[in-house]
Amino acid sequence: GKEMKVIDELMTVLKPLKKASTKLCKEKYFSVSEILPCICKIEKVMEVEEADSLTLKSIKKVCDYILSD
């Protein structure tokens, strides 16, 4: 139902964040060449798109606000 749709939408935003944090936390030292693709992927996922539901748009805006602080 509606709850599952919200969970699916939330996962589209959270999965790239988890991947980036997992990748960067594994390394004691990492270079800009490793960080930049992670940041680009996160920025791309956080872009609000016309096709996004109102819920997903809200989730993306909140995540973007938190990450830009």
Side-chain angles (χ1 to χ4, degrees), residues 41-66:
K41 175 67 177 177
I42 291 168
E43 286 177 342
K44 178 71 177 153
V45 169
M46 294 299 162
E47 288 178 3
V48 176
E49 299 178 13
E50 189 68 33
D52 291 344
S53 69
L54 289 175
T55 303
L56 186 54
K57 287 178 184 177
S58 297
I59 291 168
K60 287 181 175 183
K61 287 178 184 177
V62 168
C63 289
D64 186 53
Y65 175 77
I66 291 169

Side-chain angles (χ1 to χ4, degrees), residues 7-52:
I7 291 170
D8 287 341
E9 292 174 336
L10 186 57
M11 292 305 294
T12 64
V13 173
L14 294 178
K15 278 183 181 180
L17 293 173
K18 181 182 182 224
K19 279 185 177 182
S21 64
T22 301
K23 179 177 181 168
L24 296 176
C25 288
K26 283 182 183 178
E27 305 295 325
K28 187 172 183 178
Y29 303 102
F30 43 84
S31 67
V32 172
S33 64
E34 293 172 300
I35 296 172
L36 196 54
C38 291
I39 292 171
C40 290
K41 175 67 177 177
I42 291 168
E43 286 177 342
K44 178 71 177 153
V45 169
M46 294 299 162
E47 288 178 3
V48 176
E49 299 178 13
E50 189 68 33
D52 291 344

